[in-house]
Amino acid sequence: MNTSVSSFLAKHNFVNHVDILSVADGILDDMKKGLRKEKADQDMIRTFCNPPSQSASGKSVIVIDAGGTNFRSCLVTFDSNGSPLISEMEKTKMPGVEKELSRKDFFEQIAKNLEHLKNKSDRIGFCFSYPMEIQENGDGKLLGFSKEVKAPEVVGCLIGDELKKALTAHGWNTINRITLCNDTVAALLAGAACADNITDYSSYIGYILGTGMNAAYIQPDCECCKIKKQIIVCESGKYTSVNRSDFDIEFDKTTVKPGTFLLEKLCSGAYLGPVSAIALKAAAKDGLFSAAYAEKISALETLTLIETDSFLHNPRSAASTLGKIAAENASEEDYDRTFQILDAIVERSARYAAAILVACTLKTDEGKNASKPVCILCDGTTFHKTYMIKERVNAYLDEILTHQKGIFWKIVSCDNDITLGAAISGLID
């Protein structure tokens, strides 16, 4: 790294080469506290379920995927070989986004959204990406919505129970089970369902690195935690023992909940762009750029990850916001320093992502046999599309898990993973 960039980052307390194993050890310690129900950053939500041991062949499940602003619903049918067929997919607005709804109206709107799937299965797998307390029967008690959804009366409700009532009122036949899960559980279950016939996996992890970030893993029996083997949702983004630069602290003050989700704010796509903009403007102020280029950078309001990632993939293209500014104003040194600052931010994201996966993999207590690795299904555009993140995570896991710890693993992906995982959750008894 250019010494000027290195000293600039150090001056602002930005550490891109964080020690992954040290961070993983801290995350592991916090996970153990959360499982023992002691004070911890991560919630460590019990799901009371495991991947099903039997094939889903010949079964159909109604799938709902609700999160953010979209509400998707479809039918997933498994053929005699267990291969899934997705049909009757519809997408609409998430109830409560456009206007505030009462509890009755919220579930009434969901029932209307599902009318095209009426009585096509007696099971529903519901990927509901909001904080929930999962019940032993697979239902979920809503702990709160994000700011987009306005339905305060729904908070504290059992989502599956309320939905059953609404569907019955719409003339549905008996629904045997509605299983609530979040996207990390769906990813984990998809990994188990997509497992090929060649690889025999010893355990499974679901990891999301997109707009947000979270992980789920299979916790083995643990007497000290008084817990039976089951999938655990970590809420990894809430971990707080992380190094924050001046740029992170400045941006955090502008977020809806400052001082929370500190690890997520160092990793996920919603934050990498704006933090990059703050860092570049600080570099301009500190004299790292030529006068003409610094003036244009200083005038930036903010950046998205798409814009910074476009520059990293092709710095000389004027199609991106930064590329256009650079093409018209930047010296060769400006190009180089801009690239190195942005690359440091995604490098740090990859290292923290790797730390989470190291912690989850070690917590499974599996992967000790090379022929039975731990299956890690990773989902999210930040992980798969952002410059060098996937490649770096693979390299760090190889070094730490395989070479240092003797633990074997494999990162996988599959099409329609969240839909497929939600369908599998609907088949769990």
Side-chain angles (χ1 to χ4, degrees), residues 1-254:
M1 180 178 283
N2 181 290
T3 54
S4 296
V5 173
S6 181
S7 61
F8 162 73
L9 294 176
K11 172 187 172 184
H12 291 280
N13 196 34
F14 187 98
V15 181
N16 58 318
H17 292 102
V18 294
D19 186 274
I20 296 168
L21 189 53
S22 295
V23 175
D25 286 341
I27 293 171
L28 266 171
D29 185 59
D30 188 72
M31 291 166 82
K32 292 171 184 175
K33 289 178 181 176
L35 287 173
R36 293 194 298 264
K37 300 189 176 179
E38 299 171 3
K39 185 177 181 182
D41 293 337
Q42 298 167 94
D43 293 335
M44 305 305 288
I45 301 166
R46 304 181 185 207
T47 66
F48 307 101
C49 73
N50 288 289
S53 56
Q54 295 183 336
S55 169
S57 59
K59 298 177 181 177
S60 294
V61 188
I62 292 167
V63 170
I64 306 169
D65 182 2
T69 59
N70 293 318
F71 182 98
R72 298 177 180 86
S73 56
C74 66
L75 185 71
V76 177
T77 303
F78 295 89
D79 66 17
S80 57
N81 297 317
S83 298
L85 173 66
I86 299 171
S87 63
E88 305 194 52
M89 174 72 77
E90 287 192 5
K91 184 174 81 169
T92 184
K93 286 281 188 182
M94 179 69 188
V97 169
E98 295 181 335
K99 64 177 182 178
E100 183 171 317
L101 297 177
S102 66
R103 178 171 62 181
K104 180 182 178 182
D105 289 341
F106 179 83
F107 289 102
E108 172 71 13
Q109 185 60 59
I110 292 181
K112 288 180 179 177
N113 290 347
L114 297 178
E115 195 65 30
H116 66 295
L117 299 168
K118 186 174 181 179
N119 295 330
K120 294 191 175 179
S121 176
D122 62 357
R123 287 176 174 264
I124 296 175
F126 196 162
C127 183
F128 194 68
S129 298
Y130 300 96
M132 291 181 291
E133 182 183 284
I134 299 298
Q135 312 297 299
E136 292 195 42
N137 66 355
D139 207 341
K141 180 186 287 186
L142 179 65
L143 300 178
F145 279 119
S146 60
K147 61 179 180 177
E148 295 93 350
V149 179
K150 300 173 285 294
E153 291 182 10
V154 180
V155 177
C157 288
L158 291 170
I159 300 299
D161 187 54
E162 294 293 334
L163 179 54
K164 276 186 183 180
K165 295 175 186 176
L167 295 177
T168 299
H170 275 249
W172 283 56
N173 298 334
T174 302
I175 296 292
N176 283 332
R177 184 179 173 96
I178 299 178
T179 304
L180 276 291
C181 68
N182 78 353
D183 50 4
T184 56
V185 174
L188 186 154
L189 292 172
C194 293
D196 54 54
N197 295 322
I198 300 171
T199 309
D200 184 14
Y201 296 110
S202 54
S203 193
Y204 299 91
I205 291 168
Y207 181 63
I208 309 292
L209 182 60
T211 304
M213 185 270 295
N214 199 7
Y217 73 101
I218 300 178
Q219 168 65 40
D221 291 345
C222 180
E223 288 188 12
C224 68
C225 298
K226 298 178 180 178
I227 188 170
K228 294 290 186 182
K229 182 179 179 180
Q230 63 184 273
I231 300 170
I232 298 291
V233 178
C234 302
E235 293 296 340
S236 305
K238 290 186 174 182
Y239 185 66
T240 60
S241 296
V242 294
N243 179 84
R244 295 200 297 160
S245 69
D246 296 345
F247 321 133
D248 302 302
I249 293 169
E250 181 179 340
F251 178 66
D252 182 47
K253 292 175 182 175
T254 71

Side-chain angles (χ1 to χ4, degrees), residues 39 43 51 55 67 188 225 265 292 294 317 347 354 375 402 410 427:
K39 185 177 181 182
D43 293 335
S55 169
L188 186 154
C225 298
K265 289 171 181 175
S317 170
E347 158 81 10
C375 175
T402 308
K410 183 179 179 182
L427 297 174

Side-chain angles (χ1 to χ4, degrees), residues 417-428:
D417 48 9
I418 303 304
T419 299
L420 176 58
I424 295 296
S425 78
L427 297 174
I428 296 173

